[in-house]
Amino acid sequence: MATNPKPQPVVSNQPRPTAEAEEVFRRWIRFLDEEFYRHRSPERRAEIVRDQLYQLYLGRPHGGKPNVTLSSELPGNVLGMSLDPENVTIEAEYFGDADPTELAIRKPLLWFWKMFDRSPIGLNLWLGLRFRCMLGRHIFDHMGSGVKIHHGVDLTYGYKLSVGDGAVIHQGVLLHDRGGITIGKNAIIGSFARIFSHSYANEGTDDVKLQPTVVGDGARIGSHEIIMGGTNIGAGQVVGHYPAYKV
């Protein structure tokens, strides 16, 4: 008498941290998510980011008055003060077309984005993918579900960036969203690609022309490709050399 074979368990080949670490990682991301939803003032967000970066970089809570009179302690003071978003400037603040209100509430988060990736834990792939998606929900104009953003992706304003469901943005990509960038559902951006949304009337001048750029649903952009401002890449279109497999 024939019998039905016993179903075999599905084996996942997706690496992940230990159960204890995963629980801690998820709690940290959930805590940050709730804090940034609760607090939208630039000042309070800067405090949150400062306190988090102190622990990530210095291994201790922020607190106490630094001794700024000793020359031997100046490097440490410079490091500590630079972990506070209120003590740094970012490139976007120098652009005349920036919306001061929209940029102000995102500046601490943009600094967090950069400094997380430059910290040792920024290389933790499992954690980094989830951290950037959480932070992107508070920075971007739109952040879809199931998005993967890898290490070293650089943003300009963030509030002019829309990323659709299932999009994958590989390491080292520049998203220069001054004029607005839309990345469609399931689009894939190859490593170190450069996507612009503006141009200059004359080389070496400050006469900027804002030109929204669109990457259509399912489009694929090869590694190191440069997409100029105003480009409209159609759904499913492939730009540059792109492997037949999905990494």
Side-chain angles (χ1 to χ4, degrees), residues 186-217:
N186 301 311
I188 302 176
I189 315 298
S191 300
F192 305 105
R194 299 288 183 262
I195 302 180
F196 295 92
S197 58
H198 70 284
S199 63
Y200 293 94
N202 295 295
E203 198 67 32
T205 71
D206 294 328
D207 188 5
V208 176
K209 181 179 181 181
L210 302 182
Q211 299 170 298
T213 297
V214 177
V215 178
D217 294 349

Side-chain angles (χ1 to χ4, degrees), residues 6-189:
K6 184 178 180 181
Q8 295 299 308
V10 177
V11 179
S12 172
N13 63 353
Q14 293 296 317
R16 58 192 316 123
T18 64
E20 180 183 20
E22 181 173 334
E23 195 273 335
V24 171
F25 294 163
R26 290 189 184 277
R27 279 178 52 202
W28 183 56
I29 291 174
R30 187 165 57 248
F31 164 76
L32 293 172
D33 196 30
E34 292 170 353
E35 285 290 278
F36 293 137
Y37 272 120
R38 186 179 299 118
H39 303 289
R40 285 182 56 83
S41 75
E43 296 78 14
R44 181 62 186 123
R45 284 185 166 186
E47 290 176 350
I48 295 168
V49 171
R50 175 203 65 195
D51 292 347
Q52 297 298 308
L53 290 178
Y54 251 79
Q55 301 239 34
L56 290 180
Y57 276 82
L58 303 178
R60 59 178 173 83
H62 174 266
K65 189 173 178 61
N67 187 340
V68 297
T69 61
L70 294 177
S71 298
S72 60
E73 295 190 15
L74 284 176
N77 292 333
V78 169
L79 172 59
M81 290 179 177
S82 295
L83 298 176
D84 185 341
E86 292 199 333
N87 293 330
V88 301
T89 61
I90 59 177
E91 183 185 26
E93 293 180 281
Y94 293 89
F95 296 146
D97 52 86
D99 182 314
T101 301
E102 294 291 343
L103 184 58
I105 62 176
R106 288 169 174 81
K107 176 187 171 180
L109 309 188
L110 290 168
W111 189 240
F112 202 6
W113 179 287
K114 292 175 182 292
M115 294 299 286
F116 172 85
D117 271 0
R118 285 159 176 77
S119 74
I121 66 168
L123 296 174
N124 183 335
L125 182 63
W126 190 97
L127 174 62
L129 290 175
R130 288 155 180 81
F131 173 86
R132 294 180 203 97
C133 281
M134 175 279 297
L135 204 55
R137 288 196 294 270
H138 301 279
I139 297 176
F140 302 169
D141 178 57
H142 172 74
M143 165 68 90
S145 62
V147 174
K148 292 182 179 179
I149 302 177
H150 288 261
H151 182 268
V153 172
D154 200 7
L155 314 172
T156 303
Y157 292 162
Y159 62 84
K160 288 190 173 184
L161 179 60
S162 176
V163 181
D165 298 348
V168 178
I169 304 172
H170 284 284
Q171 68 181 40
V173 169
L174 170 64
L175 300 173
H176 211 308
D177 63 314
R178 288 178 72 176
I181 297 174
T182 299
I183 298 173
K185 296 179 180 179
N186 301 311
I188 302 176
I189 315 298

